[in-house]
């Protein structure tokens, strides 16, 4: 099979992914083999390529995988041949520890990431345990399903963790791939809630999209919104939005940080934190890490029902380096998708 393989950590501008012919993987007991049609391109892959995350090497990247079940391992019976399925960031977890037993498999110490600890979707085929593949609803096309599996599912988890109730006010800090899905889910599930969106100053395109998608107020991080926030999600790689979101919270409010890492450059903002302004009166702070199977299983049918239709830009598998460079430069409109050769 054709695959784009990462063998060494390097700046993405050096085009480190190489097109290779690999032997097609065989499904073990309980696994399925998927003939991949599309795989999304994600910021996390930039972190893997450039060494901010530590992938197993060599590795086939990609964790927004859509395709059809093509072969069943011994004992696999959840899917039929030909079924359309997706694979997300969670590739496996131990299934035995206290986190796994309580449905928090995203926190399992043996958590394996797709395209990080196990080969992913920048290839024509992949294998995965049938328990970690999800049916794709008929209404959703292959290319539209791909971004739902990462930006969508983790955004859904973050929204769940806020404990937002209908009629309350939700603040979103940063308005990229995940946030623009979250606002649609929030407005659908909680029709009487208000959503206030905070971006960097001058991000007019993001601000306009937020308005189109129903934001009740849009401004720059640090500005005062018309009302206090019952909960907020921070999608940014910066520190300032954490401080500003905590300041903007209502009493008893909760901030959920949806970021795999934070850049160090504006860390000084934390020194401006004041106990009374930012934390007192039972404010809460929580981060979101990975996703569980339940997040993906619940979110995909919901996304089809709303419906959420992500904007996508298609590339060929062998253009993966190019797509990743454009992603780094912020030049992809919507979500980047790799289309596999037949
Ligand atoms: Zn991702
Ligand atoms: Zn576990």
């Amino acid at each position: 099979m054709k695959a784009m393989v990462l063998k060494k950590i390097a700046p993405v501008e050096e085009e480190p992914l190489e097109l290779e012919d690999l032997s097609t993987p065989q499904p073990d007991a309980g696994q399925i083999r998927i003939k991949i049609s599309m795989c999304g391109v994600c910021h996390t892959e930039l972190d893997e390529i450039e060494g901010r995350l530590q992938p197993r090497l060599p590795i086939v990247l990609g964790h927004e995988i859509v395709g059809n079940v093509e072969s069943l391992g011994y004992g696999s019976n959840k899917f039929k041949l030909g079924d359309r399925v997706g694979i997300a960031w969670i590739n496996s977890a131990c299934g035995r520890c206290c986190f796994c037993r309580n449905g928090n498999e995203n926190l399992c110490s043996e958590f394996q990431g797709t395209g990080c600890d196990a080969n992913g979707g920048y290839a024509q085929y992949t294998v995965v345990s049938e328990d970690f593949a999800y049916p794709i609803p008929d209404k959703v096309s292959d290319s539209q399903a791909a971004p739902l599996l990462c930006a969508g599912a983790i955004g859904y988890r973050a929204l769940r963790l806020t404990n937002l109730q209908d009629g309350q006010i939700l603040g979103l800090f940063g308005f990229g791939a995940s946030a623009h899905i979250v606002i649609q889910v929030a407005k659908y599930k909680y029709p009487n809630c208000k959503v206030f969106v905070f971006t960097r100053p001058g991000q007019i395109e993001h601000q306009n999209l937020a308005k189109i998608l129903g934001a009740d107020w849009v401004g720059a991080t640090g500005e005062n919104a018309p009302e206090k926030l019952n909960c907020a999600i921070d999608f940014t790689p910066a520190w300032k939005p954490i401080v500003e979101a905590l300041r903007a919270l209502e009493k008893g409010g909760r901030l959920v940080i949806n970021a795999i890492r934070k850049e160090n450059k504006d860390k000084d903002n934390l020194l401006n934190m004041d106990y009374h302004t930012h934390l007192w009166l039972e404010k809460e702070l929580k981060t979101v890490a990975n996703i569980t199977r339940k997040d993906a299983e619940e979110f995909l049918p919901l996304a089809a029902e709303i419906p959420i239709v992500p904007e996508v830009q298609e590339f060929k598998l062998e253009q993966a380096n190019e797509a990743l460079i454009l992603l780094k430069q912020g030049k992809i409109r919507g979500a980047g998708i790799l289309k596999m050769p037949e």
Side-chain angles (χ1 to χ4, degrees):
M1 67 170 187
K2 297 264 183 280
M4 290 296 278
V5 183
L6 179 72
K7 291 180 186 164
K8 62 170 200 312
I9 302 303
V12 71
E13 291 79 8
E14 291 178 15
E15 309 201 351
L17 300 187
E18 295 173 33
L19 185 65
E20 294 212 337
D21 264 309
L22 302 182
S23 54
T24 305
Q26 298 302 319
D28 283 336
Q31 287 189 323
I32 52 177
R33 181 165 70 215
I34 294 164
K35 183 174 194 296
I36 301 172
S37 68
M38 302 279 181
C39 183
V41 173
C42 174
H43 275 103
T44 303
E45 274 121 44
L46 293 174
D47 289 333
E48 293 181 81
I49 292 167
E50 300 189 334
R52 292 178 293 272
L53 291 177
Q54 274 75 46
R56 188 195 82 188
L57 293 174
I59 189 83
V60 177
L61 300 172
H63 56 264
E64 304 176 5
I65 302 171
V66 181
N68 294 85
V69 178
E70 193 255 359
S71 172
L72 301 172
Y74 178 77
S76 301
N77 54 19
K78 193 172 155 193
F79 297 105
K80 298 188 306 294
L81 293 178
D83 281 356
R84 209 157 61 104
V85 295
I87 308 175
W89 173 244
I90 183 166
N91 195 269
S92 67
C94 84
R96 300 176 306 273
C97 71
C98 62
F99 298 105
C100 284
R101 289 202 313 269
N102 292 320
N104 297 320
E105 58 206 4
N106 58 313
L107 302 178
C108 175
S109 356
E110 291 176 39
F111 179 96
Q112 303 261 295
T114 308
C116 186
D117 307 300
N119 275 340
Y122 287 20
Q124 287 177 291
Y125 296 91
T126 194
V127 293
V128 71
S129 160
E130 63 174 356
D131 294 331
F132 291 83
Y134 320 100
I136 304 286
D138 290 339
K139 277 207 267 180
V140 183
S141 73
D142 287 2
S143 60
Q144 283 160 354
L148 298 179
L149 286 160
C150 184
I154 190 122
Y156 174 73
R157 178 172 186 80
L159 181 62
R160 239 170 23 85
L161 294 181
T162 63
N163 286 335
L164 176 67
Q165 312 289 316
D166 198 18
Q168 288 191 328
I169 299 171
L170 169 69
L172 302 179
F173 289 76
F175 202 72
S178 209
H180 99 275
I181 292 176
V182 167
I183 191 173
Q184 297 176 65
V185 178
K187 284 283 174 180
Y188 181 82
K189 281 188 79 175
Y190 311 102
N192 300 306
C193 77
K194 286 186 203 165
V195 182
F196 296 167
V197 172
F198 302 75
T199 71
R200 267 181 288 166
Q203 280 189 320
I204 301 300
E205 222 172 289
H206 287 194
Q207 296 191 346
N208 287 341
L209 181 60
K211 283 179 204 152
I212 291 167
L213 293 175
D216 297 273
W217 177 88
V218 177
T221 299
E223 273 180 49
N224 289 320
E227 292 171 82
K228 290 278 188 188
L229 313 172
N230 299 105
C231 51
I233 307 173
D234 167 26
F235 297 93
T236 72
W239 292 90
K240 184 180 175 187
I242 298 180
V243 180
E244 290 301 335
L246 286 170
R247 185 175 68 85
L249 280 184
E250 179 58 282
K251 289 173 273 190
R254 178 184 281 188
L255 168 63
V256 174
I257 303 175
N258 180 359
I260 200 163
R261 63 187 177 84
K262 287 278 183 186
E263 291 165 357
N264 279 329
K265 61 181 185 218
D266 72 329
K267 218 171 177 176
D268 291 355
N269 278 289
L270 289 184
L271 300 175
N272 298 330
M273 287 242 286
D274 170 74
Y275 182 69
H276 263 82
T277 312
H278 296 97
L279 295 167
W280 170 237
L281 296 170
E282 305 196 348
K283 293 182 184 181
E284 284 181 89
L285 180 62
K286 192 171 177 70
T287 59
V288 51
N290 307 316
I291 62 162
T292 65
R293 284 173 282 179
K294 192 162 166 267
D295 297 317
E297 278 161 4
E298 285 180 3
F299 175 65
L300 287 168
L302 177 65
E305 181 185 318
I306 292 175
I308 291 171
V309 184
E311 195 173 337
V312 295
Q313 186 176 342
E314 280 186 19
F315 297 85
K316 292 181 185 147
L317 172 64
E318 52 272 32
Q319 294 176 301
N321 286 305
E322 191 186 315
L324 285 158
I325 292 169
L326 289 173
L327 179 69
K328 187 173 176 179
Q329 296 169 342
K331 288 187 183 158
I332 293 188
R333 224 183 124 74
I337 306 289
L338 303 180
K339 191 173 177 351
M340 299 309 140
E342 277 305 312

